[in-house]
Amino acid sequence: NIGALVNLGCIDYEHGQFESAAILFLDALEIKPDDDEALCNLALALKKTNYLEYAMVAFEEAVNVNPGNTFILTNYMMFLLE
């Protein structure tokens, strides 16, 4: 289930296992490609693994899916400013 995959990805992310987290977020997106939480978390994990171009694509897609989500917008703006 998508919620479980996202939660497991968040646990891996919190433990510094960013590549594993990214894979779990991608697995979640295979189930629901327009899940804004999975997209944003994927972007954050990709940023940590230095896949910056892919992180930007994931952030942009998350913003397109849910343009009013302040968590996504804040993280995307911080990403752009770095």
Side-chain angles (χ1 to χ4, degrees), residues 3 13 24-25 28-29 32 39 44 47 69-70 77-79:
Y13 185 94
L24 287 163
F25 298 136
L29 290 164
K32 186 178 178 200
L39 284 163
L44 293 169
K47 178 181 133 185
N69 185 312
T70 56
M77 290 298 138
M78 290 175 60
F79 171 79

Side-chain angles (χ1 to χ4, degrees), residues 71-82:
F71 179 79
I72 295 170
L73 291 171
T74 301
N75 280 288
Y76 184 39
M77 290 298 138
M78 290 175 60
F79 171 79
L80 292 174
L81 291 172
E82 292 180 358

Side-chain angles (χ1 to χ4, degrees), residues 17-77:
Q17 299 171 339
F18 305 116
E19 289 181 10
S20 175
I23 291 168
L24 287 163
F25 298 136
L26 285 168
D27 289 343
L29 290 164
E30 284 185 21
I31 298 168
K32 186 178 178 200
D34 64 345
D35 186 276
D36 61 332
E37 182 182 5
L39 284 163
C40 183
N41 288 329
L42 173 62
L44 293 169
L46 290 170
K47 178 181 133 185
K48 289 287 192 177
T49 56
N50 214 31
Y51 288 104
L52 302 180
E53 289 180 26
Y54 294 111
M56 181 173 293
V57 170
F59 271 128
E60 289 172 352
E61 186 61 28
V63 170
N64 286 336
V65 168
N66 190 351
N69 185 312
T70 56
F71 179 79
I72 295 170
L73 291 171
T74 301
N75 280 288
Y76 184 39
M77 290 298 138

